[in-house]
Amino acid sequence: MSTLSGNWREAIDDVDAALIDGYQSGFPVEERPFRRVGADLGINESAAIERVRALREAGIVRRFGAVLNPPVIGSSTLAAVQAPADRFEEVAAIVNDYRQVNHNYARDHEWNMWFVVTAGSRAARDDILADIERRTGCDVLNLPMLTDYYIDLEFPVVNGDRFARESLEERLDSSATRISEEAAGDLSALEAELLLEIQDGFPLSATPYRDIAESVGYAVEDVLAAVERLLESGCLKRIGCVINHVVTGFDANCMVVWDVPDESLDEWGERAGGLPYVTLCYNRPRRPEQEWPYNLFTMIHGRDPEAVDAKIDELAADYLPVDHERLYSTETLKQTGARYDDLVGR
């Protein structure tokens, strides 16, 4: 066993650690992928499969499979409401009732409930927001992503880092990527069926792609080629272990919103998004009519709130010297993967 400390770490050994940190992405796209995974880890194919299963059952791995990129396939938005304290649970239940809501968090702010809505079209998405307004009686702050500078929750967790990537120093690729609210993935029939089949994860077997192929009624060679196309086009962000960051101690997570001059937005967004400790960085619209002046969002994930605050101080002093607010998450109200059936129109 490893000498790693902490409750969840004491339950894993060095092979588990290599699997957790080494296969958050890059899972082989080939007929017997666990053979190669096992060879890389110095274990056999069956042992590799069983280790992934055990990590999933322990809650360290939330899901094993593909991570969808909703803005490329359909239309998604970050939204918020100001839920009255005496109706907070009622409002949360209404919001969570929508299958198109895949994340919902309580945050320490006047806008105290933040959720993501993902649908197959902008019209469908906006209908859901309007329905949430009607049912809750709460004004909805609609903040679709306009520019992606950096979005990736893949980072090492088997360590003593106080915040994400503390032990890493390299800058990240944070080139500005425009996001259309009218996005619709140009999917073939096979690709649409494939996304539906894998939305809850991959089969944990020696031949996961063959099992998927049999379920959707295509040859395994066609499925492998389709997966490669979906990765190349950006419809799938990565394939591997989707880590439960709360279980691994990264529960001091802060969304910081910034009032960046419009003429400096790309320059400053790319600069901030390239920092190792910034896990998310993107541009969303201001909503002055709802007293929302902020147009740049960053996230920092950490285990130590004081360390996270210190990195935000550094970010404000050295990279984003503008008005900002810190919205710490106080409770996870809902967390699921986006439903592919809502994105592919099935």
Side-chain angles (χ1 to χ4, degrees), residues 243-277:
I243 301 301
N244 188 327
H245 292 113
V246 172
V247 169
T248 56
F250 286 89
D251 56 359
N253 305 324
C254 191
M255 181 176 77
V256 190
V257 293
W258 311 81
D259 181 7
V260 173
D262 292 338
E263 63 273 15
S264 302
L265 185 57
D266 278 351
E267 178 189 354
W268 290 17
E270 290 182 347
R271 183 171 62 183
L275 297 169
Y277 56 84

CSV table of all heavy atoms in Angstrom, one decimal, residues 243-277:
chain,number,residue,atom,x,y,z
A,243,ILE,N,-13.6,12.2,-12.0
A,243,ILE,CA,-13.3,12.1,-10.6
A,243,ILE,C,-14.3,12.9,-9.8
A,243,ILE,O,-14.8,14.0,-10.2
A,243,ILE,CB,-11.9,12.7,-10.4
A,243,ILE,CG1,-10.8,11.9,-11.1
A,243,ILE,CG2,-11.5,12.7,-8.9
A,243,ILE,CD1,-10.7,10.5,-10.8
A,244,ASN,N,-14.6,12.4,-8.6
A,244,ASN,CA,-15.5,13.1,-7.7
A,244,ASN,C,-14.6,14.0,-6.8
A,244,ASN,O,-13.9,13.5,-5.9
A,244,ASN,CB,-16.2,12.1,-6.8
A,244,ASN,CG,-17.2,12.8,-5.9
A,244,ASN,OD1,-17.1,13.9,-5.5
A,244,ASN,ND2,-18.3,12.1,-5.6
A,245,HIS,N,-14.5,15.3,-7.2
A,245,HIS,CA,-13.5,16.2,-6.5
A,245,HIS,C,-13.9,16.4,-5.1
A,245,HIS,O,-13.0,16.6,-4.2
A,245,HIS,CB,-13.4,17.5,-7.3
A,245,HIS,CG,-12.8,17.3,-8.6
A,245,HIS,ND1,-13.5,17.5,-9.8
A,245,HIS,CD2,-11.6,17.0,-9.0
A,245,HIS,CE1,-12.7,17.3,-10.8
A,245,HIS,NE2,-11.5,17.0,-10.4
A,246,VAL,N,-15.2,16.3,-4.7
A,246,VAL,CA,-15.5,16.5,-3.3
A,246,VAL,C,-15.0,15.4,-2.5
A,246,VAL,O,-14.4,15.6,-1.4
A,246,VAL,CB,-17.1,16.7,-3.2
A,246,VAL,CG1,-17.5,16.7,-1.7
A,246,VAL,CG2,-17.5,17.9,-3.8
A,247,VAL,N,-15.2,14.1,-2.9
A,247,VAL,CA,-14.7,13.0,-2.2
A,247,VAL,C,-13.1,13.1,-2.0
A,247,VAL,O,-12.6,12.7,-1.0
A,247,VAL,CB,-15.1,11.7,-2.9
A,247,VAL,CG1,-14.3,10.5,-2.3
A,247,VAL,CG2,-16.6,11.4,-2.8
A,248,THR,N,-12.5,13.6,-3.1
A,248,THR,CA,-11.0,13.7,-3.0
A,248,THR,C,-10.5,14.9,-2.3
A,248,THR,O,-9.3,15.3,-2.4
A,248,THR,CB,-10.4,13.6,-4.4
A,248,THR,OG1,-10.9,14.6,-5.3
A,248,THR,CG2,-10.6,12.2,-5.0
A,249,GLY,N,-11.4,15.7,-1.7
A,249,GLY,CA,-11.1,16.8,-0.8
A,249,GLY,C,-11.1,18.1,-1.4
A,249,GLY,O,-11.0,19.1,-0.7
A,250,PHE,N,-11.4,18.2,-2.7
A,250,PHE,CA,-11.5,19.5,-3.4
A,250,PHE,C,-12.9,20.1,-3.2
A,250,PHE,O,-13.7,20.1,-4.2
A,250,PHE,CB,-11.1,19.4,-4.8
A,250,PHE,CG,-9.6,19.2,-5.0
A,250,PHE,CD1,-9.0,18.0,-5.0
A,250,PHE,CD2,-8.7,20.3,-5.2
A,250,PHE,CE1,-7.7,17.8,-5.2
A,250,PHE,CE2,-7.4,20.2,-5.3
A,250,PHE,CZ,-6.8,18.9,-5.3
A,251,ASP,N,-13.2,20.6,-2.0
A,251,ASP,CA,-14.5,21.1,-1.8
A,251,ASP,C,-14.6,22.6,-1.4
A,251,ASP,O,-15.6,23.1,-1.1
A,251,ASP,CB,-15.2,20.3,-0.7
A,251,ASP,CG,-14.4,20.2,0.6
A,251,ASP,OD1,-13.3,20.8,0.6
A,251,ASP,OD2,-14.8,19.6,1.6
A,252,ALA,N,-13.4,23.2,-1.5
A,252,ALA,CA,-13.3,24.7,-1.3
A,252,ALA,C,-13.3,25.3,-2.6
A,252,ALA,O,-12.2,25.8,-3.1
A,252,ALA,CB,-12.1,25.0,-0.4
A,253,ASN,N,-14.4,25.3,-3.3
A,253,ASN,CA,-14.4,25.7,-4.7
A,253,ASN,C,-15.1,27.1,-4.9
A,253,ASN,O,-16.2,27.3,-4.4
A,253,ASN,CB,-15.1,24.7,-5.6
A,253,ASN,CG,-14.5,23.3,-5.4
A,253,ASN,OD1,-13.3,23.2,-5.2
A,253,ASN,ND2,-15.4,22.3,-5.4
A,254,CYS,N,-14.4,28.0,-5.5
A,254,CYS,CA,-14.9,29.4,-5.6
A,254,CYS,C,-15.1,29.8,-7.1
A,254,CYS,O,-14.1,29.7,-7.9
A,254,CYS,CB,-14.0,30.3,-4.9
A,254,CYS,SG,-14.7,32.0,-4.7
A,255,MET,N,-16.2,30.3,-7.4
A,255,MET,CA,-16.5,31.0,-8.7
A,255,MET,C,-16.3,32.5,-8.5
A,255,MET,O,-16.9,33.1,-7.6
A,255,MET,CB,-17.9,30.7,-9.2
A,255,MET,CG,-18.2,31.3,-10.5
A,255,MET,SD,-19.8,30.9,-11.2
A,255,MET,CE,-20.9,31.9,-10.1
A,256,VAL,N,-15.4,33.1,-9.2
A,256,VAL,CA,-15.1,34.5,-9.1
A,256,VAL,C,-15.5,35.2,-10.4
A,256,VAL,O,-15.2,34.7,-11.5
A,256,VAL,CB,-13.6,34.8,-8.8
A,256,VAL,CG1,-13.4,36.2,-8.5
A,256,VAL,CG2,-13.0,33.9,-7.7
A,257,VAL,N,-16.3,36.3,-10.2
A,257,VAL,CA,-16.8,37.0,-11.4
A,257,VAL,C,-16.1,38.4,-11.4
A,257,VAL,O,-15.9,39.0,-10.4
A,257,VAL,CB,-18.3,37.1,-11.3
A,257,VAL,CG1,-19.0,35.7,-11.5
A,257,VAL,CG2,-18.8,37.7,-10.0
A,258,TRP,N,-15.8,38.8,-12.6
A,258,TRP,CA,-14.9,40.0,-12.8
A,258,TRP,C,-15.6,40.9,-13.8
A,258,TRP,O,-16.2,40.5,-14.8
A,258,TRP,CB,-13.6,39.6,-13.4
A,258,TRP,CG,-12.9,38.4,-12.6
A,258,TRP,CD1,-13.1,37.1,-12.8
A,258,TRP,CD2,-11.9,38.5,-11.6
A,258,TRP,NE1,-12.3,36.4,-11.9
A,258,TRP,CE2,-11.6,37.2,-11.2
A,258,TRP,CE3,-11.2,39.6,-11.0
A,258,TRP,CZ2,-10.6,37.0,-10.2
A,258,TRP,CZ3,-10.2,39.4,-10.1
A,258,TRP,CH2,-10.0,38.1,-9.7
A,259,ASP,N,-15.4,42.2,-13.5
A,259,ASP,CA,-15.9,43.3,-14.4
A,259,ASP,C,-14.7,43.8,-15.3
A,259,ASP,O,-14.0,44.8,-14.9
A,259,ASP,CB,-16.5,44.4,-13.6
A,259,ASP,CG,-17.0,45.6,-14.4
A,259,ASP,OD1,-17.1,45.4,-15.7
A,259,ASP,OD2,-17.4,46.6,-13.9
A,260,VAL,N,-14.4,43.1,-16.4
A,260,VAL,CA,-13.3,43.3,-17.2
A,260,VAL,C,-13.6,44.3,-18.3
A,260,VAL,O,-14.7,44.1,-19.0
A,260,VAL,CB,-12.7,42.0,-17.8
A,260,VAL,CG1,-11.6,42.3,-18.8
A,260,VAL,CG2,-12.2,41.1,-16.7
A,261,PRO,N,-12.8,45.3,-18.6
A,261,PRO,CA,-13.1,46.2,-19.7
A,261,PRO,C,-13.3,45.4,-21.0
A,261,PRO,O,-12.5,44.5,-21.3
A,261,PRO,CB,-11.9,47.1,-19.8
A,261,PRO,CG,-11.3,47.1,-18.4
A,261,PRO,CD,-11.6,45.7,-17.9
A,262,ASP,N,-14.3,45.7,-21.8
A,262,ASP,CA,-14.6,44.9,-22.9
A,262,ASP,C,-13.4,44.9,-23.9
A,262,ASP,O,-13.2,43.8,-24.5
A,262,ASP,CB,-15.8,45.5,-23.7
A,262,ASP,CG,-17.1,45.3,-22.8
A,262,ASP,OD1,-17.1,44.3,-22.0
A,262,ASP,OD2,-18.1,46.0,-23.1
A,263,GLU,N,-12.7,46.0,-24.0
A,263,GLU,CA,-11.6,46.0,-25.0
A,263,GLU,C,-10.4,45.2,-24.5
A,263,GLU,O,-9.5,44.8,-25.3
A,263,GLU,CB,-11.1,47.5,-25.2
A,263,GLU,CG,-10.6,48.2,-24.0
A,263,GLU,CD,-11.6,48.8,-23.1
A,263,GLU,OE1,-12.8,48.5,-23.3
A,263,GLU,OE2,-11.2,49.6,-22.3
A,264,SER,N,-10.4,44.8,-23.3
A,264,SER,CA,-9.3,43.9,-22.7
A,264,SER,C,-9.7,42.5,-22.5
A,264,SER,O,-8.9,41.7,-22.0
A,264,SER,CB,-8.8,44.5,-21.4
A,264,SER,OG,-8.3,45.9,-21.6
A,265,LEU,N,-10.9,42.2,-22.8
A,265,LEU,CA,-11.5,40.9,-22.4
A,265,LEU,C,-10.7,39.7,-22.9
A,265,LEU,O,-10.3,38.8,-22.1
A,265,LEU,CB,-13.0,40.8,-22.9
A,265,LEU,CG,-13.7,39.5,-22.5
A,265,LEU,CD1,-13.8,39.4,-20.9
A,265,LEU,CD2,-15.2,39.6,-23.0
A,266,ASP,N,-10.4,39.6,-24.2
A,266,ASP,CA,-9.7,38.4,-24.7
A,266,ASP,C,-8.3,38.4,-24.2
A,266,ASP,O,-7.8,37.3,-23.8
A,266,ASP,CB,-9.6,38.5,-26.2
A,266,ASP,CG,-10.9,37.9,-26.9
A,266,ASP,OD1,-11.7,37.4,-26.1
A,266,ASP,OD2,-11.1,38.0,-28.1
A,267,GLU,N,-7.6,39.5,-24.1
A,267,GLU,CA,-6.2,39.5,-23.6
A,267,GLU,C,-6.2,39.1,-22.2
A,267,GLU,O,-5.4,38.2,-21.8
A,267,GLU,CB,-5.6,41.0,-23.7
A,267,GLU,CG,-4.2,41.1,-23.2
A,267,GLU,CD,-3.8,42.5,-23.1
A,267,GLU,OE1,-4.5,43.4,-23.6
A,267,GLU,OE2,-2.7,42.8,-22.5
A,268,TRP,N,-7.1,39.6,-21.3
A,268,TRP,CA,-7.0,39.3,-19.9
A,268,TRP,C,-7.6,37.9,-19.7
A,268,TRP,O,-7.1,37.1,-18.8
A,268,TRP,CB,-7.8,40.3,-19.1
A,268,TRP,CG,-7.1,41.6,-19.0
A,268,TRP,CD1,-6.1,42.1,-19.8
A,268,TRP,CD2,-7.4,42.7,-18.1
A,268,TRP,NE1,-5.8,43.4,-19.5
A,268,TRP,CE2,-6.5,43.8,-18.4
A,268,TRP,CE3,-8.3,42.8,-17.1
A,268,TRP,CZ2,-6.6,45.0,-17.7
A,268,TRP,CZ3,-8.4,44.0,-16.4
A,268,TRP,CH2,-7.5,45.1,-16.7
A,269,GLY,N,-8.6,37.5,-20.5
A,269,GLY,CA,-9.2,36.1,-20.3
A,269,GLY,C,-8.2,35.1,-20.7
A,269,GLY,O,-8.1,34.1,-20.0
A,270,GLU,N,-7.4,35.3,-21.8
A,270,GLU,CA,-6.4,34.3,-22.1
A,270,GLU,C,-5.3,34.3,-21.1
A,270,GLU,O,-4.7,33.2,-20.8
A,270,GLU,CB,-5.9,34.6,-23.5
A,270,GLU,CG,-6.9,34.4,-24.6
A,270,GLU,CD,-6.3,34.6,-26.0
A,270,GLU,OE1,-5.2,35.2,-26.1
A,270,GLU,OE2,-7.0,34.3,-27.0
A,271,ARG,N,-4.9,35.4,-20.6
A,271,ARG,CA,-3.9,35.5,-19.6
A,271,ARG,C,-4.3,34.7,-18.3
A,271,ARG,O,-3.5,33.9,-17.8
A,271,ARG,CB,-3.6,36.9,-19.3
A,271,ARG,CG,-2.4,37.2,-18.3
A,271,ARG,CD,-2.0,38.6,-18.2
A,271,ARG,NE,-3.2,39.5,-17.8
A,271,ARG,CZ,-3.1,40.8,-17.7
A,271,ARG,NH1,-2.0,41.4,-18.1
A,271,ARG,NH2,-4.1,41.5,-17.2
A,272,ALA,N,-5.5,35.0,-17.8
A,272,ALA,CA,-6.0,34.3,-16.6
A,272,ALA,C,-6.2,32.8,-16.8
A,272,ALA,O,-5.9,32.0,-16.0
A,272,ALA,CB,-7.2,35.0,-16.1
A,273,GLY,N,-6.8,32.5,-18.0
A,273,GLY,CA,-7.1,31.1,-18.3
A,273,GLY,C,-5.9,30.2,-18.4
A,273,GLY,O,-6.0,29.0,-18.3
A,274,GLY,N,-4.8,30.8,-18.7
A,274,GLY,CA,-3.6,30.0,-18.9
A,274,GLY,C,-2.8,29.7,-17.6
A,274,GLY,O,-1.9,29.0,-17.6
A,275,LEU,N,-3.3,30.2,-16.5
A,275,LEU,CA,-2.7,30.0,-15.2
A,275,LEU,C,-3.0,28.6,-14.7
A,275,LEU,O,-4.2,28.1,-14.8
A,275,LEU,CB,-3.2,31.0,-14.1
A,275,LEU,CG,-2.8,32.4,-14.5
A,275,LEU,CD1,-3.5,33.4,-13.5
A,275,LEU,CD2,-1.3,32.7,-14.4
A,276,PRO,N,-2.1,27.8,-14.2
A,276,PRO,CA,-2.3,26.4,-13.8
A,276,PRO,C,-3.4,26.3,-12.8
A,276,PRO,O,-4.2,25.3,-12.8
A,276,PRO,CB,-1.0,26.0,-13.2
A,276,PRO,CG,0.0,26.9,-13.8
A,276,PRO,CD,-0.7,28.2,-14.0
A,277,TYR,N,-3.6,27.2,-11.8
A,277,TYR,CA,-4.6,27.0,-10.8
A,277,TYR,C,-6.0,27.5,-11.1
A,277,TYR,O,-6.9,27.3,-10.4
A,277,TYR,CB,-4.1,27.8,-9.5
A,277,TYR,CG,-3.9,29.3,-9.7
A,277,TYR,CD1,-4.9,30.2,-9.6
A,277,TYR,CD2,-2.6,29.8,-9.9
A,277,TYR,CE1,-4.7,31.6,-9.8
A,277,TYR,CE2,-2.3,31.1,-10.0
A,277,TYR,CZ,-3.4,32.0,-10.0
A,277,TYR,OH,-3.1,33.4,-10.1
